Amino acid sequence: MRIGFGYDVHALAEGLDLVLGGVKVPSAVGCVAHSDGDVAIHALCDALLGAVALGDIGKLFPDTDMAYKGIDSTILLERTVELIRKEGYEIGNVDITIALQAPKLRPHIDQMRARLAEVMGVEVEAVSVKATTTERLGFEGRGEGVSAYAVVLLKGNVLERTLF
Ligand code: MG
């Protein structure tokens, strides 16, 4: 078994889409980013890559590469999970915390879990998404940005190990 941790931040600005956990959340502000700015997925990808020591999302999908401009982050997650499986690992469970002052994310949490589970090809019970405000403290609390933390547990694929 291997554990991984990921963290990501994006600035918020008016008139942009707010996409979190693969779900577009109705909001007056959205993420400033090269991709769709889905911090939850970016933290999750970094956790997955970290667990197998394959670097990070910036190394795999550089933001200097125009191929990734405005890209749907679920595509990055799909590719990341493919890599993990190629390394001989399967996802045990993932746990994500998103820190955002507003809007409230609770109404969208189950949709995020379902979407992330679908993209990763795992049961929804293996995917936890939590949201917190920061009590108006720090950049999240002032509404200047959104951050996300993710941890994952990977299980070695026993079948693959036996075969090779
Ligand atoms: Mg990012």
Side-chain angles (χ1 to χ4, degrees):
M1 288 196 290
R2 296 184 70 121
I3 190 169
F5 171 75
Y7 173 65
D8 194 35
V9 172
H10 279 286
L12 292 171
E14 277 178 21
L16 297 171
D17 284 347
L18 182 65
V19 183
L20 293 169
V23 173
K24 193 175 161 189
V25 176
S27 169
V29 291
C31 286
V32 180
H34 185 71
S35 67
D36 64 4
D38 193 328
V39 279
I41 288 189
H42 298 172
L44 177 55
C45 287
D46 268 2
L48 289 164
L49 293 169
V52 288
L54 274 181
D56 58 39
I57 192 172
K59 182 179 163 192
L60 251 68
F61 314 110
D63 63 10
T64 47
D65 189 336
M66 287 310 283
Y68 302 118
K69 178 127 184 68
I71 197 168
D72 178 343
S73 291
T74 58
I75 295 169
L76 306 182
L77 178 59
E78 215 168 59
R79 291 191 196 162
T80 301
V81 172
E82 263 170 42
L83 275 175
I84 302 309
R85 294 207 169 104
K86 242 183 241 165
E87 290 293 308
Y89 287 91
E90 191 45 61
I91 294 163
N93 70 298
V94 312
D95 186 17
I96 301 167
T97 296
I98 304 168
L100 177 70
Q101 193 63 42
K104 289 275 175 244
L105 296 180
R106 177 142 322 151
H108 310 286
I109 293 287
D110 282 339
Q111 203 187 336
M112 291 180 198
R113 293 178 62 213
R115 181 72 184 119
L116 294 173
E118 182 189 17
V119 173
M120 292 189 289
V122 299
E123 297 295 319
V124 73
E125 290 75 21
V127 182
S128 160
V129 178
K130 311 186 300 298
T132 184
T133 70
T134 57
E135 300 289 341
R136 304 204 169 276
L137 296 169
F139 67 84
E140 300 99 329
R142 290 189 297 270
E144 294 167 6
V146 52
S147 63
Y149 304 80
V151 287
V152 307
L153 189 73
L154 300 184
K155 302 177 289 190
N157 185 331
V158 178
L159 184 66
E160 200 142 318
R161 291 253 167 105
T162 318
L163 289 171
F164 301 103

